[in-house]
Amino acid sequence: MAAKKAQVPEEVIGLYDRFTHGGMDRRAFMERLTQIAGSTAAAVALLPMLQSNYALAETVKPDDPRLAYEDGVTIPGSDAGLKGYLVAPKGGVKRPALLMIHQNRSLNPHIRDMTRRGALAGYLTLGIDALSPEGGTPANEDQARSMIGPLNPDVAAERCAAAIRFLASHPQSTGKVGAIGFCWGGGQVNRVLAIEPALNAGVSYYGSQIPAERVPGIKGALLLHYA
């Protein structure tokens, strides 16, 4: 008989969602998880069921021979040290460009994979590391969340806008640029569309809304996804 798959209580899923989106720090999260689970050991046992396994989720390998890569590419026109992960199909043909904007865990393996997916779909794709001026994406996701929390959203939007201009003027770009953002990055898509005319279209996944008075600044096409 097959083993019954362990079920994670909805309360635990909601708690983890609140934690990952910056609603509480790790200490408060673990204290509440321990209360729900009944013991520290039970709480620790639940963690692997909640955390992402990037290796299992990976769609395009980092060394896919169909792609050309430039990791740590410098993005001019903004804060010193702004960098990203640039991927394109091999061949050197001019292509429309795509900016991939990460969630509050910064340029993690999942967003790198999404950047490669964008390239395989035919785009010159840049995964921005919005934390690179602060030293870059840390390996620890909790640390990444704590670093993004204090980052002024408008400062981050200027960094993303610089990345849009970089893509628009890149030798392999047709000059047409779109952006996709997830959660924190979805909010950035909404902000950048209102301030950067070089951004032709944006796709925002559950991103925060911009102030109503900024909406008239949006000239590009916008696709919004919310549950």
Side-chain angles (χ1 to χ4, degrees):
M1 181 182 293
K4 185 177 180 181
K5 185 177 179 180
Q7 297 295 314
V8 180
E10 288 291 335
E11 185 178 5
V12 172
I13 294 173
L15 179 70
Y16 188 69
D17 183 67
R18 182 182 169 197
F19 166 58
T20 56
H21 290 86
M24 61 171 55
D25 60 24
R26 185 173 183 81
R27 180 176 180 177
F29 164 71
M30 287 304 300
E31 288 177 350
R32 180 61 185 140
L33 182 60
T34 299
Q35 291 174 355
I36 296 171
S39 70
T40 301
V44 170
L46 278 172
L47 279 178
M49 302 180 195
L50 298 167
Q51 295 169 329
S52 300
N53 186 322
Y54 294 120
L56 291 177
E58 187 175 74
T59 299
V60 184
K61 297 298 181 184
D63 58 352
D64 191 298
R66 296 169 291 179
L67 302 174
Y69 310 88
E70 188 175 355
D71 206 352
V73 62
T74 298
I75 302 169
S78 184
D79 297 309
L82 183 62
K83 297 182 182 299
Y85 176 52
L86 187 66
V87 188
K90 286 183 176 177
V93 178
K94 284 184 177 288
R95 301 174 181 278
L98 178 63
L99 180 65
M100 199 70 65
I101 310 177
H102 53 72
Q103 68 282 76
N104 66 349
R105 278 145 282 178
S106 203
L107 186 59
N108 62 18
H110 172 62
I111 298 300
R112 286 176 173 271
D113 184 51
M114 291 298 299
T115 302
R116 295 191 294 272
R117 292 190 211 181
L120 274 188
Y123 297 92
L124 172 68
T125 310
L126 176 69
I128 190 172
D129 183 351
L131 287 178
S132 47
E134 281 75 40
T137 299
N140 185 297
E141 291 197 345
D142 292 344
Q143 185 180 351
R145 278 190 288 265
S146 67
M147 290 171 68
I148 279 189
L151 182 59
N152 185 298
D154 290 326
V155 170
E158 291 294 342
R159 294 175 182 179
C160 292
I164 294 295
R165 296 190 295 271
F166 167 78
L167 287 170
S169 62
H170 194 279
Q172 285 184 249
S173 170
T174 62
K176 292 291 187 180
V177 186
I180 298 176
F182 304 92
C183 199
W184 182 89
Q188 285 301 308
V189 168
N190 296 337
R191 286 177 179 273
V192 178
L193 266 171
I195 65 171
E196 181 47 64
L199 181 56
N200 302 109
V203 180
S204 174
Y205 285 89
Y206 39 95
S208 60
Q209 298 302 308
I210 61 175
E213 61 270 18
R214 297 188 188 182
V215 171
I218 297 177
K219 306 303 180 185
L222 181 58
L223 178 61
L224 301 167
H225 297 265
Y226 293 95

